[in-house]
Amino acid sequence: MAMRSIRKARGCWSFIRALHKGPEAAHAPQKEAVKRVFSGIQPTGIPHLGNYLGAIETWVRLQEEHGSVLYSIVDLHSITVPQDPAVLRQSILDMTAVLLACGINPEKSILFQQSQAKTATQKHGGTAGLLTYPVLQAADILLYKSTHVPVGEDQVQHMELVQDLAQGFNKKYGEFFPVPKSILTSMKKVKSLRDPSAKMSKSDPDKLATVRITDSAEEIVRKFRKAVTDFTSEVTYEPARRPGVSNLVAIHAAVTRLPVEEALRCGAGMDTARYKLLVADAVIEKFAPIKREIEKLKMDRGHLEKVLQVGSAKAKELAHPVCQDVKKLVGFL
């Protein structure tokens, strides 16, 4: 269903591009914009190992490297499929707790709820097309004049659409939006423990395929014990020939912050059965303090709500003048 929505959204882009065709506006070269990082995460489902290594760890690092960073809990994206309102509200708070526990610092970045940071005109002026994933993603990125967006390899095409929209707007109305650049995350896709040809997913029906941040130590060990490898017992890193074992090595290297070569040295002399337990222990050690902090934060609902309220107010403060300027440029004001 999600893929069908994305295909429909891509059809909207020919219409959007048409809106921005016309004589090229005369303007001075665009000034160097202040670097601003933006990214978002859906609140549905507990983040898994792949989410953590592929996105959240990068978010924590980026808030230390850039002065203006926004992280959005994109609840509007989540309602492209039916959601129980009570469950969704709790999921938003749970995701807030997870991000804070993983190291997102509201003093160094703006953490906010997407739907709370929309202006009144946006709430009532949208169409169904604007709620499809790529277009809504583009609107969020451009709304805050973001210059950099951390993405995985599977989102590069979406970023190309964002860049195309920014360039089309600038061509017609003058240089206004920075053309955002992708920050490719260093960690490749974490593969499913049960099917190393597919990436790890929240929605995988095989419960042994995905390691979630909140899994118990016993659950993590069980999942790694059942991880699919092959009939060769030696631990090697050969993604094309031995994807299952190579996925374990990549996970081990990532959670311990070791080069792949060093992770292989740690597994030297082990068979894959023993190595699975070594990797499981590394993941347990990585997630243990995060799990404790999540449980602590979830006990204080008021604090989580306050974090989102403050973050949303800051996001609105950035977004409002952009909306006003866009209205003036296109002739609404």
Side-chain angles (χ1 to χ4, degrees):
M1 184 172 182
M3 287 304 299
R4 191 159 60 245
S5 297
I6 289 172
R7 286 195 293 269
K8 288 181 180 178
R10 285 174 182 158
C12 296
W13 280 91
S14 58
F15 171 73
I16 292 171
R17 288 191 184 101
L19 290 178
H20 298 296
K21 287 182 180 177
E24 185 168 356
H27 50 260
Q30 182 175 334
K31 295 181 180 179
E32 183 67 20
V34 175
K35 285 187 177 180
R36 176 167 294 152
V37 176
F38 175 90
S39 196
I41 189 168
Q42 290 200 37
T44 49
I46 299 297
H48 55 67
L49 182 61
N51 299 138
Y52 179 80
L53 295 175
I56 298 174
E57 263 199 337
T58 300
W59 287 15
V60 174
R61 174 175 56 81
L62 290 173
Q63 71 181 0
E64 303 293 337
E65 298 175 353
H66 298 273
S68 182
V69 182
L70 294 93
Y71 296 134
S72 178
I73 297 175
V74 289
D75 49 348
L76 292 178
H77 285 290
S78 68
I79 61 171
T80 56
V81 295
Q83 299 288 340
D84 181 290
V87 172
L88 179 58
R89 280 191 288 271
Q90 186 59 51
S91 296
I92 291 166
L93 294 178
D94 289 348
M95 181 59 71
T96 305
V98 168
L99 294 177
L100 294 175
C102 287
I104 298 302
N105 185 345
E107 298 299 319
K108 297 180 179 179
S109 58
I110 297 175
L111 176 61
F112 68 101
Q113 183 179 341
Q114 181 188 40
S115 62
Q116 287 186 4
K118 299 297 180 186
T119 64
T121 53
Q122 287 175 296
K123 286 179 181 176
H124 301 295
T127 64
L130 291 177
L131 292 179
T132 50
Y133 181 87
V135 183
L136 183 56
Q137 182 187 52
D140 275 326
I141 292 168
L142 297 178
L143 180 61
Y144 304 101
K145 285 196 167 183
S146 309
T147 62
H148 294 79
V149 182
V151 296
E153 290 177 345
D154 56 341
Q155 291 181 308
V156 169
Q157 188 178 32
H158 289 171
M159 278 301 298
E160 289 172 352
L161 293 176
V162 178
Q163 292 161 349
D164 185 59
L165 180 56
Q167 290 166 343
F169 187 94
N170 291 347
K171 182 177 180 180
K172 185 166 185 180
Y173 297 107
E175 295 291 340
F176 181 75
F177 288 116
V179 179
K181 297 177 181 178
S182 298
I183 301 175
L184 282 174
T185 55
S186 57
M187 178 66 189
K188 300 292 184 181
K189 295 176 186 175
V190 175
K191 303 296 186 179
S192 160
L193 295 185
R194 300 293 291 167
D195 178 8
S197 68
K199 71 176 184 177
M200 191 172 284
S201 171
K202 291 179 184 177
S203 59
D204 196 313
D206 188 337
K207 302 304 181 185
L208 296 174
T210 302
V211 176
R212 291 173 173 78
I213 289 178
T214 54
D215 281 349
S216 68
E218 293 76 17
E219 287 173 317
I220 293 173
V221 168
R222 185 165 66 94
K223 289 177 179 181
F224 275 99
R225 279 186 187 274
K226 297 290 186 179
V228 170
T229 51
D230 53 37
F231 297 107
T232 303
S233 63
E234 184 184 4
V235 177
T236 64
Y237 185 73
E238 303 170 79
R241 192 173 74 88
R242 305 187 68 200
V245 175
S246 299
N247 186 40
L248 294 177
V249 174
I251 291 170
H252 184 204
V255 298
T256 56
R257 298 181 182 272
L258 293 173
V260 166
E261 295 76 15
E262 187 62 32
L264 284 171
R265 279 193 285 271
C266 293
M270 292 185 181
D271 59 19
T272 52
R274 284 181 60 200
Y275 188 66
K276 287 177 182 180
L277 297 181
L278 178 68
V279 180
D281 285 343
V283 173
I284 290 167
E285 184 176 353
K286 185 74 172 180
F287 284 164
I290 294 174
K291 283 175 55 183
R292 289 194 294 269
E293 187 63 16
I294 290 172
E295 292 307 313
K296 177 182 173 184
L297 287 163
K298 286 172 69 174
M299 296 292 289
D300 192 347
R301 183 186 181 97
H303 172 67
L304 298 175
E305 290 175 340
K306 183 67 174 178
V307 167
L308 292 179
Q309 289 167 3
V310 171
S312 296
K314 291 178 180 178
K316 282 182 183 179
E317 190 176 347
L318 292 175
H320 181 72
V322 176
C323 287
Q324 294 300 105
D325 287 344
V326 167
K327 288 178 181 178
K328 289 177 184 177
L329 286 170
V330 302
F332 289 165
L333 293 179

